[in-house]
Amino acid sequence: MQEFGLGPNGAMLYCIEYLEANFDWLVEELGRLHPDTWVVFDLPGQVELSTNHESLKHIIVKLGKHDYRLAAVNPCDAHYITDAAKYILVLLLSLRTMLQLELPHVNVLSKIDLLSQFGDLDFNLDCYTEVQDLSYLENLLLQGTKFSALNMRICELVQDFGLVGFETLAVEDRESMLRLMRVVDRATGCVFVPSASEESHVTGQEKVPSTRRVNFDSLFTTAAGPIEAKYGWGAHDVEFFNTPAAAPGDGPGSAALASAANVDKCDVPKVEFGIFDGRTENSFAPSGDGFVHGSALNGNIITHFICNRVKPDSTAKTVPINDCTDAIAATPGKTGQAFADASNIAFAENV
C-alpha cells in the first residue's frame, strides 16, 4: 500500500489483478493437492471484486477450463433483513454478483441464530429467504422521498430476474452447517460423493476423481470428505477430512466411518415415507441400524442404497438381496406409502 500509494480497496484490487497475471502459479499450487481435495477460496468482503471488477471473473473462467467445479457462496449478515432498505441492498448486491460471476450460486443469511436480538421480523423468515412478493416492503420504506421509488424499482428488477434466494446458517448448529454443505454440494454437482475406496453401483469408478465420480451413496459425507465431530458436536468442533477414509484406528472417527461404510451387523432395514430433513413434501428415507442416508423423493434411491449396504456376513437372517431384484420387482407402479410397504415386505423376506 505504501509502495504504490493505494488504499485498502485499491490494494485488494491490485492483489487480485496480480493473482490473475500469475495464474500459472495458482494452478501449479492447486496441482499439488490431493485430487479429492475440496478447496475454499475465502475472498475479502470488498464487493468490487465480485460485482464489477473483471479479474476475479477471469480467474474463475480459467479455473473452469482446468476442470475445477466451482460454486459461489455469498454470506450476508442476517440482521440486514430487519431493515427493508438494507434488505433491498443485499438483494441488489446478490443479484449483481450472480450475474457477474456466472457460477452456481448460493446466497446465505449467516448468523441467523442472532436474529432474535434485533426484535421481531415484519414478515415470516421464508418471505425473506424465498424473496417472495417484494411489493409488501413498500409500506416499510420511508415514504415521500425519491429513494422510496428507487427502492421499489430495484425490487421489481430483482423479481423480474427471479434468481435470488437465500439459505440460512447458524455456524454453531450442526444441522444448519450440514444442510448448507449439502446445498453447496448440489451446486457443484458433488452431492455426497463417495470416496474412491467405497463400493459403487457402477464399476470402473474407483480411480475416478471425486469431482467426476457417479454419486449413488449418500452417507454422512460431503464433497469435502467425511464429516466427523471432535469430542461431540459443538461450536467450532466440526472437522473436515479431505483424505480418503482411513482404516479403523487411523484417525479421529475413522472406526465409526469404517463401520458406517461397511455394515457388518444390521437390523432388517425399512423404507419409511413421510416428512424428513426439513422438507415440506413427503419423501423416502431408510431406517435401521447402520443405514444412514438422507431423504429422497425417488424411492428407488433408498432401496438401492439399502441393498448396497447389506453384506453377506450380516447377522440379519440369511443372505443379502441379490442386486435388489426382489425389492425392485415388488415396486413398479407403486408410489408413496404403497412403494414403502412393498419394499419393506421384500426386505423382511430376503434380508
Side-chain angles (χ1 to χ4, degrees):
M1 291 171 60
Q2 293 179 350
E3 181 179 355
F4 296 102
L6 299 173
N9 284 7
M12 191 57 61
L13 295 179
Y14 175 86
C15 289
I16 198 70
E17 291 173 358
Y18 187 85
L19 182 60
E20 180 190 2
N22 294 274
F23 180 78
D24 291 342
W25 169 86
L26 176 61
V27 172
E28 182 180 348
E29 292 300 312
L30 290 173
R32 301 177 189 273
L33 302 175
H34 188 279
D36 285 356
T37 300
W38 206 71
V39 181
V40 177
F41 296 94
D42 187 9
L43 299 177
Q46 279 87 341
V47 296
E48 299 94 324
L49 295 179
S50 57
T51 57
N52 60 288
H53 195 270
E54 294 296 322
S55 287
L56 178 59
K57 183 175 181 178
H58 293 163
I59 293 172
I60 288 172
V61 171
K62 292 179 181 179
L63 287 172
K65 291 180 179 178
H66 282 77
D67 205 28
Y68 285 94
R69 291 191 182 187
L70 302 174
V73 180
N74 177 35
C76 309
D77 280 357
H79 75 81
Y80 285 128
I81 69 175
T82 62
D83 182 284
K86 292 180 180 178
Y87 177 56
I88 294 172
L89 171 63
V90 169
L91 291 174
L92 181 60
L93 286 176
S94 298
L95 176 61
R96 184 68 186 93
T97 301
M98 296 173 77
L99 297 177
Q100 172 73 4
L101 298 183
E102 297 180 318
L103 284 175
H105 199 96
V106 181
N107 297 305
V108 182
L109 294 178
S110 61
K111 305 176 185 176
I112 198 71
D113 52 321
L114 303 180
L115 199 57
S116 60
Q117 299 180 7
F118 299 91
D120 295 334
L121 295 175
D122 294 294
F123 308 107
N124 292 334
L125 181 61
D126 57 0
C127 291
Y128 297 96
T129 58
E130 298 175 9
V131 191
Q132 298 177 8
D133 191 350
L134 298 178
S135 63
Y136 289 106
L137 295 177
E138 186 171 7
N139 294 331
L140 303 177
L141 296 169
L142 184 62
Q143 301 299 313
T145 69
K146 60 181 179 181
F147 297 110
S148 60
L150 175 62
N151 280 326
M152 293 314 300
R153 299 295 82 77
I154 294 175
C155 288
E156 293 175 4
L157 176 68
V158 172
Q159 288 200 298
D160 285 344
F161 274 95
L163 296 175
V164 183
F166 295 92
E167 300 295 327
T168 59
L169 174 65
V171 71
E172 297 184 3
D173 183 347
R174 165 196 178 191
E175 294 299 328
S176 176
M177 180 67 76
L178 288 174
R179 184 167 57 250
L180 179 59
M181 292 189 68
R182 289 166 182 154
V183 170
V184 176
D185 282 345
R186 286 197 297 270
T188 59
C190 299
V191 188
F192 305 120
V193 177
S195 67
S197 60
E198 255 184 29
E199 292 187 353
S200 174
H201 290 282
V202 180
T203 59
Q205 293 287 312
E206 296 79 6
K207 297 182 180 180
V208 178
S210 63
T211 54
R212 289 187 170 274
R213 198 173 306 138
V214 177
N215 166 44
F216 286 93
D217 302 302
S218 179
L219 290 176
F220 216 44
T221 66
T222 75
I227 300 177
E228 302 295 339
K230 183 178 181 181
Y231 311 123
W233 286 92
H236 313 298
D237 282 342
V238 182
E239 294 187 355
F240 306 100
F241 296 92
N242 294 329
T243 55
D250 284 353
S254 56
L257 176 63
S259 62
N262 298 285
V263 181
D264 294 324
K265 295 183 178 180
C266 49
D267 294 336
V268 175
K270 292 183 179 180
V271 178
E272 295 186 349
F273 182 68
I275 301 295
F276 306 103
D277 298 337
R279 293 178 181 268
T280 58
E281 70 274 55
N282 287 322
S283 59
F284 298 92
S287 67
D289 186 24
F291 296 91
V292 180
H293 192 291
S295 61
L297 297 177
N298 185 346
N300 287 317
I301 294 176
I302 303 302
T303 56
H304 277 82
F305 165 77
I306 290 175
C307 293
N308 191 49
R309 290 287 164 241
V310 178
K311 304 298 180 183
D313 56 351
S314 173
T315 59
K317 289 194 177 181
T318 54
V319 296
I321 298 175
N322 183 18
D323 297 327
C324 294
T325 301
D326 293 332
I328 295 174
T331 58
K334 294 183 172 62
T335 60
Q337 188 60 52
F339 180 98
D341 292 341
S343 299
N344 292 336
I345 292 173
F347 286 138
E349 293 176 349
N350 292 278
V351 179

